[in-house]
Amino acid sequence: MRRVHRPRAASAPGARGAAAAVLMLLVGTACGSRLPESDFEHDGRTNAPASSHNGAPVRIGIVTSATSPVGGNTFTGPRDGAKAWFDRLNARGGIDGHPVEVRECDDGGSGVGNNTCVHKLIDEDKVVALVATTSLDYAGASRVSHARVPDIGGQPIGAAYDTWPHLYGIYGSLAPRNGTPGWGGKLYGGTEVYRYFKREKGARTAAVVSYNQAASAAYARLVQQGLKAEGYKVVTEQVDFALPNFRAAAADLKEQGADLVFDAIDTHGNAQLCKAMDEVGAKVMAKVTNVQNWTSTVPDDYKDSPRCRNALWATGSSRDYEDTDNAAVRQFRDATKGLKTHSQWQLEGWAAAMWFTDAATSCAKANTGITRACVDDFMNRSENYTADGLLVPVAFERLAEPPKDRRTCLSVARWQDGRGWVSQGDMNSTCFDVPQLPYQP
């Protein structure tokens, strides 16, 4: 019998894919040049520092597009969450007596900058691993893989985490990861988000709003494909990228009786769309956003649209950062109480740092000490990892063929003024058997 796992595929085009698509429609990106397959045929590890004696620090790197063409602070959440974890870890003695030394690098959101960061951290700083990578253009991914440096808990903004070995995205992967994205250049993702709103909320008609721009339109077609597979009536709304008429789009989706609104537009565009929806009186069951926009800044981002704001729903693969009834979330919130804002990406960066710590702790107890090779071996064996319950169980497999269907679980929250993001059920029981649909990264 074919094994069925609960974790989500890293290539899912739903909640996570939306963030990636919106970012890429604003700035053209590439996943880096491909290395020859011979580069993956030997077992030797290069530059494999060990930190196992005399309380020597364990050095890790965090690459972030802290400054980028899509605006400041867009990518800094995972970095801030990871640093908060390591600060608390060091205050408690580090990893088996070894403090963690964090080396940061801002790649500026460019491929050139990313390659520079990768070279500096791997070849000069000789980090044991990268943690919580969040790059607009992960051009250095092939170099990281070639050096066999484990990259742990990165955000899959592009296809790198479904392309290269030794890269371990925060949501796992089923792809072969042999230097080609997914399976023969195609990624696969499920329809669980659309299934949720159909089964749990009774939605039947969904609007998809996009720009008349290639990447935006392509992602919109992907969303439409998934919605149609789940039996929705789909209403398409395309606006001009330079001079968008969101009011006309809002009026039409109201006329068409849309229950849900999905989009392939940027954060500013979403705010304008919501404002237009309030102005024309378009009431929907849910304005569905993604994990990147699952933040405490909603009141400011949507200050001009109270009705639409309170119809915001977010879906993802990690426990709601506001679910403080959960002990692991409380620890995260306590450690990050000094931050001005909170977000789901911060929590996922915290989980990524925890993942590295678990790997390094197991290595510290081994004869090899904390080395790249040992940490990588731990990660490669990861199956149903949850970061103390903060993640939907994550696994890494290398399936020769893409799955046709999969049991997939998701985390769901909705925004309510005065309460913030409110969890909707438990993510480990909000699960669906859904088809896996192909798409081009």
Side-chain angles (χ1 to χ4, degrees):
M1 180 180 293
R2 182 173 62 83
R3 296 172 68 198
V4 178
H5 294 279
R6 283 166 44 179
R8 298 184 72 179
S11 54
R16 293 190 300 278
V22 169
L23 291 169
M24 287 189 290
L25 73 88
L26 294 174
V27 180
T29 65
C31 294
S33 58
R34 181 177 176 183
L35 293 174
E37 297 303 317
S38 59
D39 284 336
F40 304 108
E41 292 175 356
H42 60 84
D43 292 327
R45 306 302 212 269
T46 60
N47 298 325
S51 301
S52 56
H53 304 289
N54 303 320
V58 177
R59 189 175 294 166
I60 65 97
I62 301 179
V63 181
T64 308
S65 297
T67 56
S68 76
V70 298
N73 300 323
T74 302
F75 294 93
T76 55
R79 178 202 68 187
D80 294 344
K83 288 174 62 179
W85 168 271
F86 288 129
D87 284 346
R88 174 161 288 199
L89 179 70
N90 286 338
R92 296 177 177 179
I95 300 172
D96 196 33
H98 302 281
V100 175
E101 181 181 317
V102 177
R103 294 292 179 95
E104 298 179 55
C105 192
D106 174 12
D107 66 14
S110 74
V112 172
N114 187 262
N115 271 312
T116 299
C117 280
V118 166
H119 169 68
K120 179 181 183 300
L121 293 173
I122 291 177
D123 301 322
E124 297 178 10
D125 294 341
K126 299 188 184 302
V127 298
V128 173
L130 300 180
V131 178
T133 300
T134 313
S135 295
L136 178 61
D137 185 351
Y138 198 176
S142 59
R143 179 177 291 187
V144 174
S145 183
H146 181 48
R148 299 176 183 273
V149 175
D151 176 344
I152 300 171
Q155 288 292 337
I157 294 170
Y161 292 97
D162 285 307
T163 301
W164 302 106
H166 312 294
L167 272 60
Y168 304 95
I170 192 68
Y171 308 119
S173 177
L174 303 181
R177 292 186 292 138
N178 58 8
T180 299
W183 292 264
K186 289 185 178 180
L187 303 183
Y188 287 74
T191 60
E192 60 275 5
V193 173
Y194 319 127
R195 179 75 60 87
Y196 172 84
F197 285 102
K198 181 181 179 182
R199 288 198 178 178
E200 302 297 319
K201 302 301 173 184
R204 293 294 181 268
T205 301
V208 182
V209 183
S210 64
Y211 291 125
N212 61 343
Q213 190 269 356
S216 177
Y219 182 71
R221 288 193 296 271
L222 173 63
V223 175
Q224 293 162 28
Q225 177 188 6
L227 287 166
K228 289 178 180 178
E230 290 295 333
Y232 281 84
K233 173 188 173 184
V234 180
V235 177
T236 59
E237 306 289 348
Q238 190 172 88
V239 298
D240 185 79
F241 183 62
L243 296 170
N245 187 344
F246 287 115
R247 189 179 180 90
D252 188 58
L253 66 88
K254 175 187 177 183
E255 179 69 22
Q256 299 286 340
D259 300 314
L260 309 175
V261 177
F262 294 88
D263 69 86
I265 59 179
D266 59 318
T267 302
H268 176 72
N270 265 298
Q272 295 304 305
L273 173 61
C274 260
K275 181 180 179 181
M277 288 170 61
D278 272 18
E279 289 175 348
V280 303
K283 300 179 182 180
V284 296
M285 181 184 301
K287 169 67 180 71
V288 187
T289 189
N290 54 69
V291 67
Q292 187 197 2
N293 294 318
W294 193 335
T295 75
S296 63
T297 62
V298 165
D300 291 330
D301 295 340
Y302 296 89
K303 63 180 181 299
D304 296 324
S305 45
R307 182 186 296 115
C308 182
R309 182 175 66 237
N310 282 278
L312 286 175
W313 291 63
T315 63
S317 299
S318 53
R319 193 172 299 279
D320 181 6
Y321 76 85
E322 296 223 52
D323 182 12
T324 52
D325 288 338
N326 179 273
V329 174
R330 285 199 302 274
Q331 290 179 13
F332 161 73
R333 290 300 298 269
D334 181 62
T336 58
K337 59 187 177 184
L339 297 178
K340 293 181 179 179
T341 62
H342 284 92
S343 72
Q344 205 63 17
W345 264 13
Q346 290 171 359
L347 179 139
E348 291 181 354
W350 170 275
M354 186 191 303
W355 206 344
F356 167 77
T357 301
D358 288 344
T361 299
S362 73
C363 294
K365 298 175 181 178
N367 292 330
T368 59
I370 304 172
T371 66
R372 291 175 178 175
C374 181
V375 172
D376 187 65
D377 286 343
F378 179 96
M379 294 302 302
N380 208 35
R381 296 192 305 269
S382 291
E383 183 172 343
N384 295 335
Y385 184 80
T386 69
D388 199 19
L390 294 178
L391 303 174
V392 169
V394 183
F396 295 97
E397 296 184 58
R398 294 186 177 183
L399 303 183
E401 300 292 333
K404 293 183 179 179
D405 52 61
R406 196 163 185 239
R407 183 161 181 78
T408 310
C409 304
L410 71 159
S411 176
V412 184
R414 65 168 301 182
W415 178 267
Q416 291 182 303
D417 285 349
R419 299 184 64 189
W421 291 102
V422 180
S423 299
Q424 305 296 301
D426 185 81
M427 65 183 187
N428 291 315
S429 58
T430 306
C431 308
F432 306 94
D433 294 301
V434 294
Q436 300 294 300
L437 306 179
Y439 66 100
Q440 204 77 27

